[in-house]
Amino acid sequence: MIDCRKLTKRYGKTVALDGLDLFVGQGELHGFVGPNGAGKTTAMRILSTLLRPDSGDALVDGISVVSDPGKVRAQVGYMPDFFGVYDNLKVWEYLDLYAGCLRMGEKERRKRIDELLALIALTDKREAFVDGLSRGMKQRLCLARALIHDPQLLILDEPASGMDPRARAEMRDILTEIGQMGKTVLISSHILPELSQMCSSMSILERGKLIFSGTVEALETKMHAHAELIVRFAQPPEGESAQEARETVQAVCDALPDEREPGVWRMDMPESDEGDARLLAKLMALGLPVCEFKREKVTLEQVFMEVTRE
């Protein structure tokens, strides 16, 4: 659905996108991650035909944003991070206004508005004025506006910005349902754990360059590969048994344990169920009072910090 080819955009001397190559398949919920200034919004605006790249191209369902932006717009629904609403309109009137701009017939408009209000769980707010809605409800209404013409690609720039936890959970459920409809969704967000729950794939941008793109499973594998092994003893090992334990650990992971806390050993060793079980058995055979033996999983934020630092 999305195929970016050497996409480049500059603002004066600042390079916002530096030869971006990105592919997102049909029906994917794709997370778009990166620090402020990484180029996410620029890429989204180019895909939405609101900006023209300096060089390169992007295809949406095989249609070029450079040579045929009109056809691309028919395929794309764009929800910016900041948007305006008409406060003196009722909820249904707000959607009806945009449906009318698309020259939809009255009967088609009524049907589409009813479907969208049901999708975003605002049917009971149909007659409410937009300015009386909560932040989360306004976000969902803007999402419905982006869906009014039934696009195949939905581009969302920080859709959960400023929402409370309940509102974010409601938005997450709606986006999951949209993904189940077969639509492709590109979501930019800084709330990384929520993206990992929703998305089937993710990309990480840094200074306009793509530094990771793949499935969430591939990212989780990267996380697990850095899971630290923690061994906690009821009493700190001492004397000959402690030395034997250190030699046992060194034989397994070729490194001495980090003993920054009394009675706690931390080891940076590859994750392996068999290796972990073998090490635990050897420690127990030495008579050491092991009371905790676990892997401390790396968080998505830590992986993001590590990848962008590299």
Side-chain angles (χ1 to χ4, degrees):
M1 177 55 74
I2 297 175
D3 187 5
C4 297
R5 302 175 179 179
K6 303 299 181 185
L7 211 55
T8 301
K9 182 66 179 179
R10 297 180 179 84
Y11 299 102
K13 295 182 179 180
T14 302
V15 181
L17 290 178
D18 190 3
L20 175 65
D21 289 318
L22 174 66
F23 180 83
V24 179
Q26 173 71 39
E28 287 188 34
L29 264 72
H30 190 87
F32 212 30
V33 183
N36 290 332
K40 304 186 302 297
T41 297
T42 296
M44 288 180 155
R45 288 178 177 170
I46 289 174
L47 289 169
S48 304
T49 72
L50 298 175
L51 280 178
R52 188 179 179 88
D54 294 328
S55 63
D57 199 357
L59 306 181
V60 174
D61 198 18
I63 307 168
S64 167
V65 300
V66 175
S67 60
D68 207 345
K71 285 187 178 179
V72 171
R73 290 180 197 124
Q75 300 291 327
V76 175
Y78 176 57
M79 178 178 168
D81 51 349
F82 296 104
F83 57 91
V85 293
Y86 297 97
D87 295 342
N88 60 337
L89 292 179
K90 293 181 179 180
V91 166
W92 76 267
E93 291 174 330
Y94 177 81
L95 294 177
D96 189 65
L97 171 66
Y98 284 94
C101 291
L102 294 169
R103 299 180 180 178
M104 295 172 62
E106 184 178 350
K107 184 177 180 180
E108 184 184 3
R109 292 205 307 268
R110 285 201 303 268
K111 179 183 178 182
R112 186 62 181 155
I113 290 169
D114 288 344
E115 291 173 347
L116 290 173
L117 290 178
L119 174 65
I120 64 173
L122 284 182
T123 299
D124 60 336
K125 297 290 184 180
R126 179 186 181 89
E127 297 294 333
F129 283 95
V130 173
D131 60 349
L133 300 180
S134 67
R135 168 73 179 183
M137 290 179 182
K138 288 180 180 178
Q139 293 278 75
R140 280 147 54 193
L141 183 60
C142 187
L143 176 62
R145 184 187 74 183
L147 286 165
I148 197 75
H149 59 301
D150 196 23
Q152 292 304 302
L153 171 62
L154 195 58
I155 298 176
L156 311 177
D157 197 352
E158 297 287 345
S161 175
M163 288 186 176
D164 60 45
R166 180 181 293 277
R168 286 203 304 270
E170 291 170 347
M171 178 65 82
R172 182 176 65 242
D173 292 342
I174 292 169
L175 293 179
T176 300
E177 186 174 349
I178 290 171
Q180 291 170 352
M181 296 175 181
K183 296 186 183 299
T184 305
V185 186
L186 183 65
I187 312 171
S188 165
S189 178
H190 290 102
I191 308 172
L192 304 186
E194 289 199 350
L195 276 185
S196 67
Q197 292 171 16
M198 284 190 297
C199 298
S200 54
S201 57
M202 297 181 72
S203 294
I204 299 178
L205 259 66
E206 169 72 2
R207 298 181 182 179
K209 292 185 177 182
L210 188 68
I211 55 177
F212 173 86
S213 187
T215 64
V216 172
E217 289 77 11
L219 189 58
E220 288 176 346
T221 298
K222 187 176 182 67
M223 292 166 63
H224 296 164
H226 293 79
E228 190 175 48
L229 178 62
I230 299 176
V231 182
R232 188 182 304 274
F233 301 95
Q235 296 176 345
E238 297 178 349
E240 186 175 333
S241 61
Q243 181 60 32
E244 290 180 356
R246 291 189 186 94
E247 291 174 356
T248 298
V249 170
Q250 196 169 19
V252 173
C253 63
D254 196 29
L256 287 173
D258 183 350
E259 301 179 48
R260 69 188 86 168
E261 303 173 53
V264 179
W265 287 7
R266 295 176 177 271
M267 288 156 277
D268 186 10
M269 57 183 285
E271 184 173 11
S272 163
D273 290 342
E274 292 183 359
D276 290 357
R278 189 164 53 250
L279 176 59
L280 177 59
K282 289 181 178 180
L283 293 176
M284 297 295 288
L286 292 173
L288 295 171
V290 178
C291 62
E292 186 176 21
F293 190 95
K294 68 175 185 178
R295 288 281 180 173
E296 188 172 79
K297 300 298 184 184
V298 179
T299 66
L300 196 56
E301 285 89 348
Q302 288 172 311
V303 171
F304 171 74
M305 293 298 292
E306 177 185 338
V307 170
T308 53
R309 182 170 56 248
E310 290 173 355

